[in-house]
Amino acid sequence: MSWRSRAERCVITLRPQNAVAPRNTATSRKVRRTIAKKPAAASTPQTRTSNRRASSPVSTGPTSYDEAMDDWAAAGLSALQRLHPDCHRSLQRIFTDGIDLTTHYSGTGTAEAAVAALASLMAPWIETQSSPVSCHSACDISPVCQEVLSNHPTASRPHHRFRDLCERPNADLMKRLRATLTGFQKKAGLTRSGLQTPSPSKVQLASDNWVSAAMQMLSEWTPSRDSLSDCLRHEHPCKTYPPSVPRRYHLEVSGINCQPWSQAGMRWGWLDERSIPCLILVRIIMVIKPDFVCIECTPRFDFRKLQSLLQPTFRGDFAITSPRDFGLPVDRKRMYMWFDKCSVVSSAMLPMADVSDVMMRTQELTLDVFLRASPAEVQHYYRQLLAVHRRRPSCDKRRLRLDDVLSAGNVARLQKYRKMVATLPDASCYVVDVHKSPDWGAKPRSSQIPTLLRSSILVALRAPPEDDRLLLPSELPALHGLKLSPDLVSRLPAADVRSLVGNSMHMVQVGIFVQFALSTRRLRSHVSVLPAGASSPGEVLPSRKQDLSSGPVASQAGAPSPGSSTDIFPTRDVAIVY
């Protein structure tokens, strides 16, 4: 049954012959040139010159579920090699020397899995005695996240797992920080009731003064690489940060609490108490000084303030991306920030905003690629929901329908969504979030799944309406590119799975961002521990695999090394020099 047949009760004007036909997903992705640009409110004061490649070729996106989960690293390397065959030199140098990875508010361990996937991709070019990637430590306040981290494969399992970041400074310092913040909130005129509208200038002044005061107070706390914290894995204090090893890089990947800057929150920014962990993280970065830092947050995050706190030791850049930029039918727009330690990186070959341009892929997948549960599994989940909420269907049925398991309010919103979808072009599937009112936000799209939040209730609208169904908890991790153990997911309540996935980075987003950043760094010269047969850091061993990726993989001996002054991207006229 088509969508228009479902809407026989609705008065629908048929599309005239000269109207635009329903969008073809792949074609529309080729036309769509969404480039992550810096919003005026958060733009960096640094002036940069960039010649964007407006006609960069667009790669074909994944065409199956397996490709959507696994091919992003090889496809990213292929896209970079179209600019120059030797673009993997910097990646080779970094992974040959080795990476010590630390993460804070690690969630499901997406960063660990992404970096491990990049190390696996670069395996043909590196032959070192030590492991190319060591996941030193992870940190998360959630016990569910801790359980997921402990069940990671060996390559991406953190050696140490620590609790909340706010437990590291002493309790007296944390108490004084919260008391000081309360005073600045009062000065700004901020109240939880929201009945008063404070002056923006007063809020901005209070916010700047609070950050300065907080950093001054945090200067009393000096973490070091010898600092110890209670390790949940070993059940005794362990070193919180990896040791500083010559010719080995320290990469820090962290998420920041989004609520202080999110459009759905109160938008108090730095004056929100949940910004304190971010300031503690800044203090750690300033003292420990990792070589590379990657931070993820909502697009409304105050990048300018964070950059000013980390200067002059670090220089930063950011991009706002979505999985849709990389060929996946999932909407999750996020700001990814990258900071280089100036003593390690001399310049960047491309601005980070170019990641969406260089790595863009067409969208070939439909939304139902993620609907992998069988009808029997759907019915079993429906009966579990009825048992949990102690409800009965309207009549005895062997086959439960979606309306039988949703609350009255969600059913009312679902009916509104059904009417909206009936007026849209025919498609195999639409996915909507019935926890949100259809009167708020954009119309449903057949080309994307809404952003998954902790409170989301995602519903797939299909033809016929009897096939409409919930997305099961077991199907949610794949929306973020996560490969979680089915046994683990089955043991967790549905709310915990939604919270777990909704708070996590998207695997493809963070993986491609890290890959692009490391590939475009021009490192300062030092002697790398290259495998036998490579006479210099600029010489790359031939691949042991014939078809590592869809792009060229052979390198040329004698080409400029990543630490030289020659840009290996000849299509650009200007490099970003720190």
Side-chain angles (χ1 to χ4, degrees):
M1 183 184 299
S2 67
W3 290 107
R4 297 206 182 278
S5 298
R6 296 181 60 182
E8 292 176 351
R9 292 177 296 176
C10 301
V11 179
I12 302 174
T13 303
L14 296 179
R15 187 173 55 250
Q17 294 182 356
N18 60 351
V20 179
R23 291 177 57 186
N24 178 275
T25 304
T27 303
S28 65
R29 293 295 296 156
K30 292 181 180 179
V31 174
R32 181 175 176 267
R33 307 300 300 171
T34 302
I35 308 299
K37 296 182 178 180
K38 299 187 176 184
S43 61
T44 173
Q46 183 179 349
T47 302
R48 301 179 301 182
T49 303
S50 173
N51 297 328
R52 190 176 302 283
R53 292 167 299 279
S55 59
S56 298
V58 179
S59 305
T60 301
T63 58
S64 67
Y65 176 86
D66 291 336
E67 288 185 6
M69 301 294 288
D70 296 325
D71 81 333
W72 61 268
L77 180 62
S78 178
L80 287 165
Q81 286 175 324
R82 281 197 297 270
L83 298 180
H84 194 281
D86 293 337
C87 71
H88 61 280
R89 292 172 159 291
S90 181
L91 273 179
Q92 179 217 10
R93 176 177 175 180
I94 291 172
F95 281 100
T96 296
D97 290 345
I99 292 177
D100 290 320
L101 176 65
T102 56
T103 61
H104 291 88
Y105 289 101
S106 312
T108 56
T110 311
E112 286 86 349
V115 176
L118 292 176
S120 177
L121 176 72
M122 297 305 298
W125 285 282
I126 54 178
E127 295 179 3
T128 59
Q129 298 294 329
S130 60
S131 172
V133 174
S134 172
C135 299
H136 176 81
S137 63
C139 162
D140 203 283
I141 190 174
S142 168
V144 178
C145 291
Q146 292 284 354
E147 184 176 1
V148 173
L149 290 167
S150 66
N151 282 275
H152 261 251
T154 303
S156 58
R157 186 183 305 153
H159 299 314
H160 308 282
R161 290 183 288 108
F162 302 114
R163 294 189 182 89
D164 188 11
L165 187 66
C166 293
E167 293 181 0
R168 296 184 189 176
N170 63 69
D172 179 67
L173 177 57
M174 293 300 301
K175 183 178 180 180
R176 287 190 289 124
L177 280 171
R178 294 187 177 97
T180 303
L181 174 59
T182 301
F184 281 106
Q185 290 173 346
K186 292 180 179 179
K187 291 180 180 179
L190 298 176
T191 59
R192 293 290 177 183
S193 64
L195 299 178
Q196 299 178 354
T197 303
S199 166
S201 59
K202 183 184 295 186
V203 172
Q204 184 62 50
L205 178 61
S207 177
D208 292 340
N209 291 338
W210 150 245
V211 172
S212 299
M215 296 310 298
Q216 180 64 34
M217 296 171 66
L218 285 169
S219 64
E220 303 172 12
W221 171 59
T222 306
S224 71
R225 293 190 180 270
D226 294 326
S227 299
L228 301 177
S229 298
D230 291 333
C231 179
L232 297 177
R233 180 179 180 182
H234 299 106
E235 298 183 347
H236 62 75
C238 295
K239 287 191 175 182
T240 314
Y241 314 102
S244 180
V245 179
R247 298 187 300 275
R248 192 170 177 89
Y249 297 96
H250 179 188
L251 169 62
E252 165 68 32
V253 182
S254 296
I256 293 178
N257 200 319
C258 296
Q259 285 91 336
W261 295 273
S262 174
Q263 186 176 4
M266 301 186 70
R267 286 174 283 179
W268 286 11
W270 297 105
L271 291 173
D272 193 305
E273 184 176 346
R274 290 166 292 187
S275 70
I276 292 179
C278 178
L279 296 174
I280 295 175
L281 177 64
V282 170
R283 176 61 180 167
I284 292 174
I285 294 172
M286 292 172 63
V287 177
I288 301 300
K289 295 182 174 62
D291 301 299
F292 310 110
V293 178
C294 175
I295 296 177
E296 177 257 9
C297 197
T298 177
R300 292 177 176 268
F301 177 74
D302 186 3
F303 169 79
R304 177 183 292 179
K305 174 62 70 175
L306 179 61
Q307 185 185 43
S308 66
L309 292 174
L310 294 178
Q311 287 178 340
T313 305
F314 294 89
R315 290 294 183 271
D317 198 1
F318 74 85
I320 297 175
T321 68
S322 173
R324 296 191 66 212
D325 297 328
F326 313 122
L328 300 174
V330 178
D331 180 35
R332 188 171 180 82
K333 189 175 291 185
R334 286 294 183 267
M335 175 188 288
Y336 281 85
M337 295 158 273
W338 187 268
F339 294 89
D340 297 307
K341 188 163 69 172
C342 298
S343 61
V344 174
V345 177
S346 61
S347 64
M349 300 170 191
L350 295 176
M352 291 307 301
D354 275 10
V355 63
S356 296
D357 189 25
V358 174
M359 313 292 255
M360 180 172 284
R361 305 177 69 184
T362 61
Q363 184 177 312
E364 309 293 339
L365 296 173
T366 56
L367 305 189
D368 52 6
V369 71
F370 296 109
L371 304 180
R372 300 175 63 82
S374 66
E377 291 173 324
V378 174
Q379 288 296 307
H380 178 69
Y381 179 62
Y382 282 1
R383 297 189 185 282
Q384 285 182 326
L385 287 179
L386 291 178
V388 169
H389 297 290
R390 299 181 179 180
R391 294 202 304 264
R392 293 183 179 181
S394 56
C395 59
D396 292 335
K397 299 178 181 179
R398 292 186 178 181
R399 184 175 185 270
L400 296 173
R401 295 181 56 180
L402 177 62
D403 296 36
D404 296 324
V405 298
L406 292 179
S407 66
N410 288 333
V411 170
R413 286 188 285 270
L414 176 62
Q415 296 298 339
K416 291 184 179 181
Y417 276 119
R418 283 172 171 162
K419 292 180 181 179
M420 293 174 63
V421 168
T423 65
L424 300 176
D426 290 350
S428 61
C429 178
Y430 284 87
V431 176
V432 298
D433 185 356
V434 295
H435 186 74
K436 294 181 180 178
S437 171
D439 301 325
W440 183 84
K443 292 182 178 180
R445 295 184 182 181
S446 62
S447 60
Q448 72 179 46
I449 295 175
T451 301
L452 178 64
L453 305 175
R454 290 182 298 174
S455 57
S456 294
I457 302 176
L458 298 184
V459 171
L461 301 180
R462 313 172 79 183
E466 290 78 11
D467 290 339
D468 294 350
R469 72 171 182 85
L470 287 169
L471 268 72
L472 271 58
S474 60
E475 297 170 320
L476 298 182
L479 301 182
H480 283 202
L482 305 174
K483 293 183 178 181
L484 302 184
S485 167
D487 293 337
L488 174 62
V489 174
S490 65
R491 296 198 304 265
L492 298 176
D496 285 349
V497 177
R498 288 196 300 268
S499 177
L500 187 72
V501 179
N503 282 331
S504 298
M505 303 180 193
H506 194 285
M507 174 80 162
V508 175
Q509 262 183 298
V510 65
I512 286 182
F513 187 81
V514 171
Q515 182 184 39
F516 181 85
L518 295 179
S519 299
T520 55
R521 301 303 96 177
R522 186 178 287 118
L523 305 174
R524 299 189 186 276
S525 299
H526 73 261
V527 180
S528 299
V529 184
L530 288 177
S535 60
S536 70
E539 184 177 345
V540 184
L541 287 179
S543 172
R544 299 195 304 270
K545 297 181 181 179
Q546 297 299 320
D547 189 20
L548 177 66
S549 66
S550 57
V553 295
S555 60
Q556 301 174 355
S561 68
S564 67
S565 60
T566 304
D567 196 340
I568 66 172
F569 290 87
T571 56
R572 293 198 58 80
D573 297 329
V574 179
I576 305 171
V577 180
Y578 293 155

